[in-house]
């Protein structure tokens, strides 16, 4: 049973560019959450998707957007990249009725130069 | 707003020592509380949870009790092993949708 997978593993972008990160949830999971983890910090909640809709959003600007597909996989898009967007981006999946059992992927390391 | 405060690290202990990592929280309502662990090079894993006051979560020898009166959820283990070396995160969720994490506490156990 594959766990949560994320791609790519690492990414280097230039300021002002746009980036798309991808996440495949654990088999059977229907809810996907995205987090930003800066170096030495805890994960910060970006948003959560359920039934292809953004259900809740953290304190992140509109440059951060997402999508969930019918197969429950998800994308995180970041526009107009800033140096401060450099971080590890984590995807977590869960079952809607067992929200507390989040399974995290290994993350995508984004470096903005 | 909701938040979690963890004790600052890093923490270094000898094998078989007693471990306590402090965690306090601020929340409206009645959140569920969690401890996650991140081993080197791996993603976060749920270590234990407690969903209501006075509940004790436990797993792999780790324990934490949900104390509403002191708004705390301290992580303890009676005898740590080298394999427990990792970063530990305290977290809460009041809605089930949004999780708030602490800044993490790095633990190194030396033989």
């Amino acid at each position: 049973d594959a766990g949560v997978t994320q791609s790519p593993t690492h990414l280097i972008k230039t300021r002002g560019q746009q980036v798309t990160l991808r996440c495949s949830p654990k088999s059977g999971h229907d809810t996907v959450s995205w987090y930003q983890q800066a170096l030495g910090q805890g994960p910060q909640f970006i948003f959560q998707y359920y039934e292809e809709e953004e259900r809740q959003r953290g304190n992140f600007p509109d440059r951060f957007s997402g999508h969930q597909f019918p197969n429950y996989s998800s994308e995180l898009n970041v526009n107009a990249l800033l140096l401060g967007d450099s971080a590890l981006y984590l995807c977590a999946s869960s079952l809607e009725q067992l929200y507390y059992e989040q399974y995290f992927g290994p993350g995508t390391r984004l470096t903005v130069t | 707003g909701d938040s979690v405060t963890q004790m600052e690290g890093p923490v270094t202990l000898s094998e078989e020592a007693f471990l306590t990592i402090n965690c306090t929280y601020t929340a409206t309502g009645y959140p569920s509380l969690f401890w996650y662990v991140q081993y080197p090079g791996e993603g976060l894993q749920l270590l234990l949870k407690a969903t209501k006051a006075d509940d004790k979560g436990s797993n792999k020898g780790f324990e934490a009790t949900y104390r509403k009166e002191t708004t705390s959820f301290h992580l303890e283990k009676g005898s740590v092993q080298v394999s427990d070396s990792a970063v530990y995160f305290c977290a809460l969720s009041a809605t089930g949708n949004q999780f708030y994490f602490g800044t993490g506490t790095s633990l190194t156990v030396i033989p």
Side-chain angles (χ1 to χ4, degrees):
Chain A
D1 174 24
V4 179
T5 60
Q6 292 186 243
S7 63
T9 305
H10 296 90
L11 203 52
I12 300 175
K13 289 287 189 178
T14 304
R15 266 184 307 175
Q17 285 188 317
Q18 179 265 344
V19 68
T20 297
L21 311 181
R22 294 176 176 82
C23 171
S24 291
K26 182 176 168 62
S27 178
H29 284 184
D30 55 10
T31 301
V32 173
S33 301
W34 286 93
Y35 293 83
Q36 180 193 69
Q37 187 177 15
L39 200 61
Q41 300 296 314
Q44 298 289 314
F45 177 79
I46 302 174
F47 41 52
Q48 184 182 78
Y49 277 84
Y50 173 67
E51 292 189 337
E52 302 180 49
E53 296 284 333
E54 182 183 293
R55 182 158 66 173
Q56 185 132 1
R57 188 180 185 90
N59 189 25
F60 278 80
D62 292 344
R63 298 187 297 109
F64 290 77
S65 63
H67 189 78
Q68 186 180 33
F69 299 94
N71 67 353
Y72 307 118
S73 67
S74 177
E75 288 181 349
L76 164 66
N77 300 292
V78 188
N79 294 323
L81 284 167
L82 303 174
L83 295 179
D85 294 332
S86 295
L88 181 68
Y89 287 85
L90 298 169
C91 170
S93 73
S94 58
L95 273 172
E96 200 274 341
Q97 62 267 39
L98 292 176
Y99 72 92
Y100 46 81
E101 290 193 8
Q102 289 192 106
Y103 288 77
F104 281 82
T108 293
R109 172 71 63 188
L110 172 65
T111 301
V112 182
T113 62
Chain B
D2 294 359
S3 66
V4 171
T5 302
Q6 278 183 245
M7 66 181 283
E8 295 287 330
V11 174
T12 302
L13 295 173
S14 297
E15 208 165 21
E16 300 183 1
F18 184 84
L19 168 71
T20 299
I21 300 178
N22 289 339
C23 171
T24 57
Y25 69 89
T26 301
T28 54
Y30 303 96
S32 295
L33 302 174
F34 308 86
W35 277 100
Y36 281 82
V37 59
Q38 189 171 33
Y39 296 105
E42 298 184 15
L44 276 80
Q45 303 173 25
L46 177 63
L47 180 60
L48 54 84
K49 68 181 187 295
T51 56
K52 62 183 187 296
D54 299 325
D55 268 2
K56 177 184 282 188
S58 61
N59 186 25
K60 299 182 181 180
F62 291 89
E63 293 183 340
T65 301
Y66 188 162
R67 302 283 188 203
K68 190 170 184 293
E69 63 277 13
T70 55
T71 62
S72 65
F73 193 55
H74 304 322
L75 182 68
E76 296 182 338
K77 187 175 185 182
S79 176
V80 294
Q81 305 300 311
V82 172
S83 58
D84 294 326
S85 298
V87 181
Y88 293 82
F89 293 91
C90 186
L92 71 81
S93 179
T95 65
N97 306 125
Q98 185 160 356
F99 280 67
Y100 294 86
F101 284 81
T103 55
T105 301
S106 175
L107 170 66
T108 300
V109 180
I110 54 177

